[in-house]
Amino acid sequence: MKNPYLPHVAVIQDIRDEGPGLKSFDLAFRDGSVWEEFRPQPGQFVELSVFGEGEAPFGVATGAHETGLLRLSIQQVGRLTKMLHSMAPGDEVGVRGPFGNGWPLEAAKGKNLILIGGGIGMPPVRSALVSAMAEKDQYESISLFYGARSPEHITYADEIEQWIASDDAKINVTVDVGDDTWPGHVGVITTLLEDEHASPANAVTMTCGPPIMIHFVIPTLTKLGFSDDQIIVSLEARMKCGIGKCGRCNLGAEYICLDGPVFSYDHLQTMGIRL
Amino acid sequence: MDRLKILKSRLPDWLGKLRAQAAVYAPVERAGVTCFARLAPGDEPQLDYGNTDTPLKEVLFPQTECLITWQRTPEGLQVQEVDTSEPTVIFGARPCDVTGLRFLDRAFRLGGIEDPYWVRRRDKTTVISLVCPHPVPGCFGPSAGVNETSPEGADVVLTDIGSAYVVEVKSEQGQAAVDLASDAFTSAAEEDLIAAREAGETLLAELAEQAIDLEEPEARAKAFLQSPAWEQVWNRCLSCGICAFLCPTCHCFDICDQSCRGGGERIRCYDTCSSKIYTKQAGGHNARPTAKERLTQRVMHKFSYGPERLGVLGCVGCGRCRRCPVDIDLQLELSRVEVKEPV
Amino acid sequence: MSNHTDAVRARAKQLLESGEVTRVIGHARGTTPYRSRPHFASSPEQTDALIHDVSCGSNLAVYVSKPKERVAVIAKGCDARSLATIIHEGQAERGNVLILGVSCEGKLDEGRLLRKLDFPPRQVKSVREEGDEVVVEGPAGDVRLPRDDVIMVNCTYCRARTPAVSDELIGEPVPPREEADQYPDLGGLDAMSEAGRAEFWRAQFEKCIRCYACRNACPSCFCPECFVDEYHPQWALHGGGQFRGNWMWNVGRAQHLAGRCSACGSCQRGCPVDIPLMLLNRWMERATNQAFDHLAGMSEQQKQLAALFRKSEAKASEHG
């Protein structure tokens, strides 16, 4: 019997600083053949083991077309992530998954795809963005709205420059608080959406960020004319098992780990969930 | 199928044969508390009990169990799964506890993803249920949909008729368990069957006095959470784990690591939605910060989400949650709430 | 006699009507005549449900957690000891807690009571006190039981039957039990060998399911993060049903309560697997009482045991 609790051993290949307290980890499975069955879809997450510390869920940053390396971008917030941040290339961790439903990118083809990311919610948004850009002809357009706390908190800063240069997607970045070096937009993400006149015409939005950001983004999108079914959000919760057994992420009759983490807002409404 | 009976004096023969083939779990008393424990040679099960203090589920879903082990070696991390499942017989379980396994069966197979630790044990387990000779105080099994005389999920059902048990074999697995000691069983006579039927009828009549109204559970749950009683209830909840850990259907758990000398174990242990830290994330955010949100989750999971997702009520009427130190009795509260007609 | 229902209701009503307090924390009738439940009255109407009789055992000080406005607490002697302790430990401003003391001759132990009855619990119609007896009205009339046989064992050696700390007292003062200083309840443990005691506690702790009802029912267990939930270091293995972690949890908790336990018995009353936790707590109390002449919460001026230091103790420690 396949054991969903049994992690695959993965080796840290590369670690990059992404900003204050944030690092990206590129992981390769020690047994390279694992990747074929693993193949995370954009928007899915994994349970990462630091043996002796336990496990925690992280959204996958890797795009659908990027094979072999699992990228996780992780903020140091607790004891497990603290231990992780002290690790080095060559160190071994465990990975279970991938879990969850992922972004409905297939259904978004032919439409204007609007990705909205905030803070540490960027990894799954990056995954969706690079996956879509790799098939950009399939979409009417692709745009990113990204809000960071400050210029130094911008995740994937180097890549963002490349994305802007590539012209494959329209990239909009804002920071809550600017500084002398920041020439771009200043203000929370909702102001960016309004100032750039995000349009609901033939569009679908996909949002990932902290609960407080989602709480404010949804009414903003509604005000801009987006209907509930055009608003797709990825929710976070404390999770342990990742497969709908341990109960922690129970939301109505559903489980964020199993039925989500991606939900359409109209579905959440029918479940009576307010964000 | 012919009904059988077994004299109480022949029970040790049967148990001996079962124990030769399987780990036999039966009610025993441990330091003043009755629970299901593995019978060692010579152990007598305690069958004249009301209900066990701790629920049957712990046989198949232990309070604490090791999921995997890891070892650091020169060749790198070695991670191994643990499988302690073995052929098992549950002997003498009450119908409510047996019915509770149904909820867990569905939960541990939810979404087509099987929990191997549960499934491996469950698939190797034969359940021999024992009908209650008298109603256990506080039991309202029939109100929660429990078949008190022939519970779903049992492979064999025993009904006490004095000097013997009338035996109902409900599955092939049950037949195999009986066949192990076929000479200990005889055909039940007509009067034995009548005695068993009357015992069941008497039990149900007595249980009717303890019945509560749990019809329309979802509507009741929602109405209760809007009722004046609700505020007092959540205000007094102590956020402990009694109701969940003693519940035959609660299955929430925690997973954590325990290291020692270059290796360690990853265990899972019971956890509860009542706990203050259950949904607390590493960054400090807590989706259910007060007992109000936490107990709402319990009420809704038992009576609305569970039935919606798994098709069965998250309560089997055993009444164990009435051990609540602050007298929270959710079932009674729900039974008393006024359910408004849908508009 | 300790049925103070009328007096408690009347005073609670006055306090809420006059606005002296915003909330009265007391007891109401529970699901059976031998059970009470905590009850919160925030309006004069809500005081109608208040009761105070022999069933009102749970310690209400557990609901006092840094109140921002003044609350009144119906407090038996043990509850008052808890309140004095947690106020001293910074869990509430003294001015925000009105201690409505009630005299008490012991509160029911549900298990002990029900074991004395030869009819099903649901046939209990009422329970009352008369003199030194508890009278249970059953299907065949009254059953009279000596009070000491059906109250919590710890109540039979109570030293605070009249609250030592209170703002007001409801009921006539009751003197402390003479046995209080003699720890007769520990006789059984004393008679055991060390190995016998270890075996006794092993059997008890193996039952622990780690529901933490003991902790959560205890007013003195107010740590925002309990040691048992910590990871660095992981003081106690997680999960019930295993001895090592259960031992560490129960012994660790008892040690943290040394000199802080009010002997209310809420931990033991809450325990779903009947671990005699009061034996542990009383064991610790005897040790701290005899070594340091210290009992928790017996006066408002009293310092916490761990904050007490006498010069004579420095000398004692030199000698090991």
Side-chain angles (χ1 to χ4, degrees), chain A residues 1 3 5 30 49 51-52 54-55 92 236 238 240 245-248 250 252-255 258-259, chain B residues 70 72 77 81 110 113 115 117 251-255 257 259 266 271 277-278 280 288 297 305 309:
Chain A
M1 185 182 297
N3 188 335
Y5 295 98
R30 195 169 66 191
S49 292
F51 291 96
E55 290 182 303
E92 290 173 322
E236 60 167 27
R238 190 160 184 233
K240 288 279 183 171
K245 317 292 186 210
C246 82
R248 242 167 217 75
N250 187 208
E254 305 195 1
Y255 290 90
L258 193 63
D259 307 297
Chain B
W70 73 88
R72 295 183 201 284
L77 267 169
E81 71 172 318
L110 176 67
I113 302 170
D115 182 284
Y117 301 91
H251 58 83
C252 290
F253 56 82
D254 191 12
I255 299 178
D257 283 5
S259 322
R266 176 162 296 160
D271 205 345
I277 55 174
Y278 181 67
K280 191 175 171 195
R288 299 179 200 140
Q297 170 67 19
Y305 309 153
R309 189 73 191 241

Side-chain angles (χ1 to χ4, degrees), chain C residues 64-318:
Chain C
V64 176
S65 176
K66 300 187 177 164
K68 292 189 183 69
E69 295 170 302
R70 197 164 194 230
V71 298
V73 185
I74 312 297
K76 309 180 298 296
C78 47
D79 308 17
R81 289 179 69 184
S82 289
L83 286 168
T85 303
I86 65 172
I87 286 168
H88 180 77
E89 291 174 346
Q91 296 310 298
E93 297 284 339
R94 179 65 181 91
N96 276 347
V97 185
L98 178 70
I99 305 177
L100 273 181
V102 283
S103 56
C104 170
E105 291 175 273
K107 299 300 181 196
L108 288 181
D109 179 320
E110 188 175 313
R112 292 183 89 199
L113 175 75
L114 295 181
R115 280 193 291 275
K116 292 273 189 306
L117 305 178
D118 57 5
F119 48 86
R122 69 190 148 89
Q123 294 180 354
V124 174
K125 291 180 189 145
S126 72
V127 178
R128 63 184 192 277
E129 283 175 284
E130 278 180 17
D132 284 332
E133 290 179 327
V134 169
V135 185
V136 180
E137 191 189 348
D142 284 350
V143 179
R144 310 185 82 86
L145 301 161
R147 185 197 283 116
D148 277 6
D149 289 355
V150 296
I151 58 176
M152 296 285 295
V153 171
N154 54 295
C155 296
T156 64
Y157 43 73
C158 180
R159 62 180 84 241
R161 298 203 294 175
T162 304
V165 176
S166 67
D167 296 302
E168 301 173 18
L169 180 66
I170 291 173
E172 294 301 312
V174 192
R177 299 283 291 237
E178 284 171 12
E179 306 90 323
D181 283 322
Q182 292 152 25
Y183 298 93
D185 47 317
L186 300 181
L189 284 177
D190 285 334
M192 292 179 197
S193 65
E194 205 169 302
R197 273 200 298 277
E199 198 39 55
F200 173 80
W201 285 116
R202 168 179 285 274
Q204 292 298 334
F205 293 153
E206 273 178 351
K207 298 187 294 183
C208 174
I209 62 171
R210 304 288 279 275
C211 66
Y212 304 127
C214 50
R215 174 186 76 186
N216 293 14
C218 177
S220 279
C221 275
F222 52 71
C223 293
E225 187 178 10
C226 177
F227 80 96
V228 79
D229 295 323
E230 285 179 14
Y231 260 88
H232 281 298
Q234 191 175 3
W235 297 100
L237 299 181
H238 289 221
Q242 39 91 27
F243 172 69
R244 276 172 65 208
N246 287 354
W247 185 91
M248 191 65 203
W249 158 241
N250 285 282
V251 173
R253 180 170 175 274
Q255 300 230 349
H256 287 184
L257 288 170
R260 304 174 61 242
C261 169
S262 70
C264 70
S266 285
C267 50
Q268 182 167 316
R269 188 185 285 109
C271 181
V273 289
D274 297 333
I275 300 173
L277 292 164
M278 281 312 294
L279 287 181
L280 263 189
N281 293 331
R282 286 275 288 176
W283 187 274
M284 296 305 293
E285 182 193 294
R286 182 174 66 179
T288 51
N289 190 13
Q290 289 177 352
F292 306 104
D293 191 24
H294 181 278
L295 285 167
M298 294 302 279
S299 84
E300 291 202 51
Q301 289 71 42
Q302 194 172 26
K303 286 190 173 172
Q304 209 209 57
L305 176 66
L308 283 176
F309 182 74
R310 299 186 196 92
K311 283 200 169 156
S312 58
E313 288 165 23
K315 205 163 186 185
S317 81
E318 278 170 29

Side-chain angles (χ1 to χ4, degrees), chain B residues 30-31 33 63-64 209-210 232 235-236 238-242 245 256-258 269 277 322-323 326-327 332, chain C residues 23 30-31 35 37-40 63 122 207 209-211 216 231 234 238-241 270-271 273-274:
Chain B
R30 295 276 158 91
V33 157
Q63 291 183 50
T64 306
E209 289 179 39
Q210 299 180 181
Q232 290 285 336
N235 263 290
R236 70 175 185 268
L238 294 172
S239 302
C240 77
I242 289 181
F245 294 0
C256 54
D257 283 5
Q258 295 173 164
C269 56
I277 55 174
R322 290 176 174 164
R323 292 272 333 208
V326 290
D327 199 46
L332 197 63
Chain C
R23 184 181 230 204
T31 45
R35 267 193 189 185
R37 56 170 60 153
H39 179 78
F40 309 92
Y63 295 107
R122 69 190 148 89
K207 298 187 294 183
I209 62 171
R210 304 288 279 275
C211 66
N216 293 14
Y231 260 88
Q234 191 175 3
H238 289 221
C271 181
V273 289
D274 297 333

Side-chain angles (χ1 to χ4, degrees), chain A residues 8 12 29 38 46 51 81 181 183 185 189 199 202-203 245:
Chain A
H8 301 290
I12 298 175
F29 292 109
F38 202 86
V46 298
F51 291 96
T81 51
T181 66
H185 192 278
I189 185 94
S199 163
N202 189 34
K245 317 292 186 210

Side-chain angles (χ1 to χ4, degrees), chain B residues 167-190:
Chain B
V167 181
E168 183 198 1
V169 177
K170 286 171 68 92
S171 71
E172 282 177 26
Q173 241 176 309
Q175 188 63 50
V178 165
D179 288 345
L180 279 177
S182 46
D183 61 337
F185 295 87
T186 55
S187 235
E190 189 58 30

Side-chain angles (χ1 to χ4, degrees), chain B residues 66-124:
Chain B
C66 182
L67 300 180
I68 61 163
T69 62
W70 73 88
Q71 197 65 41
R72 295 183 201 284
T73 73
E75 291 75 43
L77 267 169
Q78 302 302 317
V79 185
Q80 274 186 317
E81 71 172 318
V82 173
D83 177 7
T84 58
S85 67
E86 59 185 330
T88 299
V89 171
I90 287 168
F91 193 91
R94 296 301 185 206
C96 53
D97 264 353
V98 173
T99 308
L101 302 180
R102 178 177 66 174
F103 190 93
L104 296 176
D105 267 330
R106 297 185 189 192
F108 281 122
R109 297 172 207 261
L110 176 67
I113 302 170
E114 296 192 332
D115 182 284
Y117 301 91
W118 170 272
V119 169
R120 285 191 294 230
R121 284 200 190 94
R122 184 72 183 96
D123 288 350
K124 292 175 191 164

